[in-house]
Amino acid sequence: MLEEIKVKLMTRTVERRKFCSKWKQPYGHLIKKRLDKIKNETLHWHVAWNGDKGCEVKKGLLKYTVDLNKKICSCRGWQISGIPCAHVCSAIWYDGGDPDKLLSPWFSLEMFMKAYEFSLQPINGSHEWKKCGLEPLLPPIPRKTPGRPKRNRSKSKDEPKKSKGKMGRDGVMMTCSLFGQNGHNKRGCPEKVTFLNVQGSSTVRPKAKAGNKGNSSNASRPNPSGTSASGTQANSKDIAAKKQNKGKEKLLVPEKKSIRTRRPTINGYGLLTNLKTGQQTFYASA
């Protein structure tokens, strides 16, 4: 690395010397461009001369004082930058001088050449160096730093990050298990609602009809066991159908809320049917 820096400095010194030799004025191109812009701004300034290298420069309500002997302008632009401002250029031209001669000497060609006056001398390679007999320099002794040591190396920004024990799913094409289409899975399938409605119409068990509540002429006689024969037969069929469609109903049919049954408010006797299980219960009230 040091060898590359040395070669870079050697070539840069030669290039800057050639660049200075092409100047047509005693200062650089950037300074000339800036000074020309300032000279164009002097057209609107009017000078009131005092006869002793001092004057007032006016433009409308603006007014500044210039002293050419002390090289001072009240706008302070000349003192800060070393380049004559528009007020100084107006005063110099009124006095018959040249603004280029009042530039700071730090912008001159001579100062620029002094910065690149000395050159780096070439040296031989390490195979030609003299052996001094001293021990070679060793790297510093490694010391344990505070805190838990890092196990993983520092990765660059463009390097992909690896997950722990799992492969990334980048570039994997998803396939819907319902219709075999690409671009989405079963969970995000846009036709899932239609599929569930078609499957649900054949698997959902119809609701059991509610029995007669209250007194009626067609009410059945009470059964000592608490349930009628038709109710027992219906319960056995419902249980068998439930076992057969147990998995399908859980997947396709939304879970129903429990329906609470309440006792009838009228007097009499009859059969009370549970809408959830379809079980019929005899009741009698005074």
Side-chain angles (χ1 to χ4, degrees):
M1 181 178 178
L2 294 176
E3 182 67 20
E4 295 176 357
I5 295 175
K6 180 181 70 66
V7 174
K8 181 66 177 178
L9 292 176
M10 289 176 61
T11 55
R12 187 175 185 271
T13 303
V14 177
E15 291 175 359
R16 302 302 287 178
R17 288 177 180 174
K18 292 180 180 179
F19 174 71
C20 295
S21 61
K22 297 180 181 179
W23 288 4
K24 297 180 180 179
Q25 62 278 344
Y27 47 87
H29 298 285
L30 297 178
I31 303 301
K32 182 180 183 304
K33 184 178 179 181
R34 184 175 176 180
L35 187 59
D36 292 343
K37 184 178 179 180
I38 293 174
K39 289 177 180 179
N40 295 330
E41 297 176 359
T42 60
L43 301 176
H44 306 287
W45 291 92
H46 303 283
V47 180
W49 192 257
N50 69 345
D52 190 19
K53 298 295 182 179
C55 61
E56 292 181 357
V57 185
K58 301 179 181 179
K59 185 177 73 170
L61 299 177
L62 302 177
K63 183 173 65 173
Y64 297 97
T65 59
V66 178
D67 191 340
L68 298 180
N69 290 330
K70 297 180 181 180
K71 296 183 178 181
I72 294 175
C73 180
S74 60
C75 74
R76 299 175 58 200
W78 191 14
Q79 298 92 293
I80 294 175
S81 64
I83 301 174
C85 58
H87 323 120
V88 176
C89 291
S90 301
I92 293 172
W93 279 338
Y94 188 88
D95 192 31
D98 186 6
D100 295 353
K101 295 181 180 180
L102 293 181
L103 271 172
S104 175
W106 298 106
F107 300 118
S108 63
L109 177 61
E110 296 177 1
M111 286 291 181
F112 195 89
M113 292 297 294
K114 285 183 178 180
Y116 301 97
E117 180 180 0
F118 301 99
S119 303
L120 290 177
Q121 302 301 324
I123 58 175
N124 296 325
S126 58
H127 60 280
E128 294 290 338
W129 295 353
K130 295 181 179 180
K131 305 298 180 181
C132 60
L134 299 177
E135 296 182 359
L137 294 177
L138 300 177
I141 300 174
R143 300 182 182 276
K144 186 177 181 181
T145 57
R148 181 176 295 180
K150 294 183 179 180
R151 299 182 61 184
N152 299 330
R153 62 178 177 83
S154 300
K155 298 182 180 180
S156 60
K157 295 182 179 180
D158 301 334
E159 190 173 358
K161 297 182 179 179
K162 296 182 180 180
S163 59
K164 297 181 180 179
K166 295 183 179 179
M167 296 182 63
R169 300 189 65 183
D170 297 340
V172 178
M173 179 64 69
M174 294 187 294
T175 305
C176 179
S177 59
L178 297 178
F179 299 94
Q181 298 177 356
N182 295 331
H184 62 272
N185 54 9
K186 179 180 178 180
R187 180 179 298 178
C189 181
E191 301 180 5
K192 182 178 179 180
V193 179
T194 307
F195 177 78
L196 293 179
N197 292 338
V198 174
Q199 293 292 331
S201 61
S202 60
T203 57
V204 177
R205 177 175 52 82
K207 297 181 179 179
K209 294 183 179 180
N212 296 330
K213 298 181 180 179
N215 295 331
S216 63
S217 60
N218 298 328
S220 59
R221 293 287 181 178
N223 195 341
S225 62
T227 56
S228 63
S230 59
T232 305
Q233 186 177 2
N235 288 340
S236 60
K237 291 182 179 180
D238 293 341
I239 294 172
K242 253 186 166 183
K243 291 181 179 179
Q244 183 179 1
N245 301 328
K246 185 176 181 181
K248 297 180 181 179
E249 287 184 351
K250 189 174 182 180
L251 175 63
L252 303 177
V253 181
E255 185 178 1
K256 296 182 179 179
K257 296 182 179 179
S258 61
I259 302 175
R260 297 180 61 184
T261 58
R262 60 181 180 178
R263 297 182 64 83
T265 57
I266 58 175
N267 299 329
Y269 62 89
L271 292 175
L272 183 64
T273 305
N274 191 335
L275 299 180
K276 182 178 180 182
T277 60
Q279 184 179 0
Q280 295 178 342
T281 308
F282 174 78
Y283 73 91
S285 61

